[in-house]
Amino acid sequence: MITNKNCIIRLSRYKNSLHRLKTLGFVKVFSDNLADAVGVTSEQVRKDFSLFGITGNKRGGYTVDALTEKLNTILGKDRVQNVIVVGLGNIGTALTKYRGFEKECIKITAAFEADAAKCSRKTAVPILPVEEMPEYIRKNSIKIGIIAVPDVAAQQTADIMIGAGIRGILNFAPISLRCSEDVVINNVNLELELESVIYFVNTMPVTESTASK
Amino acid sequence: MITNKNCIIRLSRYKNSLHRLKTLGFVKVFSDNLADAVGVTSEQVRKDFSLFGITGNKRGGYTVDALTEKLNTILGKDRVQNVIVVGLGNIGTALTKYRGFEKECIKITAAFEADAAKCSRKTAVPILPVEEMPEYIRKNSIKIGIIAVPDVAAQQTADIMIGAGIRGILNFAPISLRCSEDVVINNVNLELELESVIYFVNTMPVTESTASK
DNA sequence: TAGATTGTTAATCGATTAACAATC
DNA sequence: TAGATTGTTAATCGATTAACAATC
């Protein structure tokens, strides 16, 4: 089983690049084309493909359509993935409205919020009281959830979600969530991402090209 | 020079945990305490510290205050880090309003937007026309920027920012930005983060504890 | 002192990169 | 065929983990 997140992310990037190449009229692509488009080496592309049993034609590369279909199947893009959002602060609201998910076959079907004043069943994505979440998850067999609640509520929210049947969480609360091995948690911590940029900028030597600016 | 992003992120986590431990009344901590708090091993903690020349007392662990100060200095938290945001769509707006940065000594001093109708100098964080960005960067010696513009505008935006003196970028546009070696770019792609969760959920074997749910 | 904890060195592990045989 | 490209195997690299001497 492939457990390397970077590898999956690269697969998604290949898929996105393929889409662009198709728009440009490409019918076949070589590992070299995809490598250039994504910014990796062609060996990396072929290695990734071989891990998933994707084969091309020696000398002939890969057919864009066939490759796209294979990648879509692997990435679960052959069907709509229903996702819920919990917590409608700044980040949660932005994600609920975010248009970038649609084209990736990801549909946010509902959002949940503790503050009753923010709830509404009439918005494009219904905003429901957080108490209704477990029932909603069970009734609609939701497997994926996004956490955007304050840090103090995040672990409890995760536990409730997992208890109701959620198996994968994208967490934006600035704490590392813990869970059993059979649930996937991907922690995205915006402060930490920015802090690492700040660190590298502050420690990077000033080079010729940046000195005068 | 340390180039390992994960290591820097762990350092930030140690710092955050230390803050919480201090609140609980801790005066000294052992590598084991921090390891538990962050979810790594104590060897990892000590190894990370040794990379940065942080030493404790054999048998006595680390003094919370001294350690906090050392970590803050390494992470640049001994002074305010000024940051700008470009693009006021859903994500950019959320980041501009986001309160989580303040406590980390990160200050968003201005936001830039192409749509003049969205601009305003009267908001808490001024929203300025994107044309004014290069001048603003130069005048205020801004080194760090957040990109939250549509994908088609992202590379051009980055080039302009770098040309004006920006040396580190946190990029939320769903393309991988390219730049010279002396600029740090951290690409945070929300679709890809969610897609990797979806992949692992869809491929993970259903275990006893998740089967019935 | 005895016991616990640090800090460093060595071993392991996994991912990336390189090399190259297979073959279209 | 000759040349180009794939796909796999081996080598390298870097990060994590383990082991353990030093010492408070």
Side-chain angles (χ1 to χ4, degrees), chain A:
Chain A
M1 206 185 100
I2 283 83
T3 55
N4 183 347
K5 184 185 149 193
N6 289 338
C7 183
I8 303 300
I9 300 247
R10 282 197 302 271
L11 241 49
S12 289
R13 290 195 202 278
Y14 301 145
K15 173 190 66 64
N16 293 342
S17 294
L18 267 184
H19 180 71
R20 255 175 277 137
L21 291 172
K22 188 181 166 75
T23 314
L24 295 174
F26 279 58
V27 175
K28 296 191 300 183
V29 288
F30 300 120
S31 58
D32 215 44
N33 300 138
L34 288 170
D36 285 345
V38 170
V40 297
T41 63
S42 61
E43 292 88 347
Q44 176 82 270
V45 175
R46 297 198 300 277
K47 180 78 177 179
D48 286 338
F49 286 178
S50 102
L51 288 172
F52 290 91
I54 295 176
T55 56
N57 307 301
K58 293 197 195 263
R59 184 90 181 83
Y62 308 82
T63 312
V64 171
D65 287 341
L67 183 55
T68 300
E69 207 184 308
K70 276 178 189 162
L71 289 173
N72 279 337
T73 306
I74 291 166
L75 295 168
K77 308 221 148 294
D78 47 354
R79 57 189 188 285
V80 174
Q81 303 286 342
N82 293 324
V83 175
I84 59 169
V85 170
V86 193
L88 283 180
N90 291 317
I91 304 292
T93 305
L95 292 171
T96 304
K97 291 181 185 167
Y98 187 52
R99 310 302 298 266
F101 292 138
E102 282 174 36
K103 68 175 195 309
E104 298 301 333
C105 264
I106 295 166
K107 189 181 177 190
I108 295 178
T109 61
F112 295 90
E113 165 60 40
D115 179 0
K118 286 188 187 171
C119 295
S120 163
R121 278 159 225 271
K122 291 171 187 166
T123 43
V125 175
I127 302 167
L128 309 174
V130 74
E131 296 77 27
E132 296 181 17
M133 184 176 69
E135 195 192 339
Y136 184 93
I137 292 170
R138 281 196 197 91
K139 275 200 178 160
N140 298 282
S141 301
I142 304 291
K143 297 290 171 227
I144 318 274
I146 297 175
I147 291 184
V149 302
D151 53 358
V152 290
Q155 185 64 57
Q156 194 197 4
T157 302
D159 294 342
I160 293 172
M161 290 166 87
I162 294 166
I166 288 279
R167 305 209 39 221
I169 292 173
L170 185 61
N171 173 44
F172 287 88
I175 65 159
S176 295
L177 298 179
R178 310 291 177 82
C179 69
S180 58
E181 293 257 311
D182 48 27
V183 176
V184 178
I185 296 193
N186 189 355
N187 294 296
V188 176
N189 192 319
L190 302 181
E191 287 98 322
L192 298 191
E193 296 295 338
L194 192 50
E195 278 175 53
S196 83
V197 172
I198 291 171
Y199 171 80
F200 287 114
V201 167
N202 286 341
T203 53
M204 243 183 343
V206 175
T207 62
E208 231 174 281
S209 67
T210 53
S212 60
K213 287 171 187 169

Side-chain angles (χ1 to χ4, degrees), chain B residues 160-172:
Chain B
I160 293 172
M161 290 166 87
I162 294 166
I166 289 278
R167 305 209 39 221
I169 293 173
L170 185 61
N171 172 44
F172 287 89

Side-chain angles (χ1 to χ4, degrees), chain B residues 16-29 33 37 64:
Chain B
N16 293 340
S17 294
L18 266 183
H19 180 74
R20 254 174 276 135
L21 292 172
K22 187 178 166 75
T23 314
L24 295 174
F26 280 59
V27 175
K28 294 192 301 182
V29 288
N33 301 138
V64 171

Side-chain angles (χ1 to χ4, degrees), chain B residues 119-137:
Chain B
C119 295
S120 163
R121 279 158 222 273
K122 292 171 184 166
T123 43
V125 175
I127 303 167
L128 308 174
V130 73
E131 295 77 28
E132 295 182 18
M133 184 176 70
E135 195 192 339
Y136 185 95
I137 292 171

